[in-house]
Amino acid sequence: MASRTVPSSASASLPGAAAPGAPSPHAAPRHGVFEDAQALFTGSLFVGLTMMMYAQAGLLTGSTAGLAFVLHYATGWPFGAIYFAINLPFYWFAWKHIGRAFTIKTFVSVGILSLIAELGPRLIHIDYLHPAFAAIAGGLLMGTGVLFLARHKSSLGGATIVSLYLQERHGLRAGKVQMAIDCAVVLLALWVVPWDRVAWSVLAAVVMGVFLAVSHRPGRYQGG
């Protein structure tokens, strides 16, 4: 039996066929302004809660937040103000190598986190918090917040900018890069923080890094 060729005009009307010039039905929808705003606030809030837990338990984190914690513990200066100032040089790197939209969103996220870090202790207080719980729950909570921000093309500055850049440009897992940087920063804090708190802080960095390595892989999430 001779095969029949379906005319191009008929094929366009077949169920599931995309019209010429129409976007692919599998193309990921881009995030709207409200979706971005919600993600930036929620991600920054999750990380802010983690920072309050770490401060309560005497723990540290990595990246520029870890350096801000070290200076906060050593000098007594406000954590939020130190954290905001340390991130200023990284905005130039993000603007040059990643893009304007990412840099602006990162600036907003860092500002929200700095504000939460300053106002949070006036709104919530934990009477008792074991460092093991703070390390595990905080690592997961921070990893979730960072993941929210990353999927909406934002970050919390510092090592997160570098790790996301290396993942996008060179295929290195952001979680592994973040974990290596965070552990190095935390270990540098031995001269300020007791060794047992540093050990719990390393655990928190590992928990967060593993979470990001499993959950944030190149190409898995296509939203823009």
Side-chain angles (χ1 to χ4, degrees):
M1 179 181 295
S3 60
R4 293 192 304 168
T5 302
V6 179
S8 59
S9 59
S11 64
S13 63
L14 293 176
S24 169
H26 301 292
R30 299 189 64 82
H31 295 130
V33 175
F34 176 76
E35 293 172 316
D36 281 339
Q38 176 182 255
L40 298 191
F41 176 77
T42 304
S44 301
L45 176 62
F46 279 18
V47 177
L49 291 173
T50 302
M51 295 301 177
M52 286 186 279
M53 291 172 61
Y54 285 178
Q56 179 79 16
L59 305 187
L60 292 160
T61 186
S63 188
T64 50
L67 296 176
F69 261 126
V70 172
L71 291 175
H72 169 69
Y73 290 145
T75 65
W77 297 343
F79 168 82
I82 298 173
Y83 174 69
F84 186 84
I86 289 177
N87 272 292
L88 292 176
F90 289 95
Y91 298 133
W92 172 85
F93 180 88
W95 187 282
K96 182 177 180 180
H97 294 284
I98 302 180
R100 181 175 60 181
F102 175 86
T103 306
I104 293 174
K105 290 181 181 179
T106 296
F107 183 85
V108 171
S109 299
V110 171
I112 294 173
L113 176 57
S114 300
L115 188 62
I116 291 173
E118 288 301 309
L119 298 180
R122 305 176 190 177
L123 304 175
I124 182 174
H125 177 73
I126 302 174
D127 291 331
Y128 176 75
L129 181 62
H130 195 281
F133 181 86
I136 296 174
L140 293 173
L141 195 61
M142 181 179 290
T144 303
V146 169
L147 186 61
F148 278 4
L149 298 176
R151 288 183 171 178
H152 286 259
K153 310 302 182 185
S154 181
S155 76
L156 289 171
T160 307
I161 291 177
V162 176
S163 62
L164 291 176
Y165 169 78
L166 292 176
Q167 174 166 289
E168 294 295 328
R169 297 298 177 91
H170 302 287
L172 299 177
R173 291 280 185 83
K176 293 182 179 180
V177 176
Q178 184 83 39
M179 180 168 56
I181 296 175
D182 287 354
C183 288
V185 172
V186 168
L187 290 175
L188 288 175
L190 280 170
W191 63 279
V192 174
V193 181
W195 71 268
D196 61 322
R197 303 294 168 165
V198 172
W200 289 120
S201 300
V202 171
L203 173 61
V206 171
V207 169
M208 174 186 168
V210 170
F211 175 85
L212 287 176
V214 171
S215 303
H216 187 57
R217 300 183 182 182
R220 168 171 286 184
Y221 185 79
Q222 300 297 331

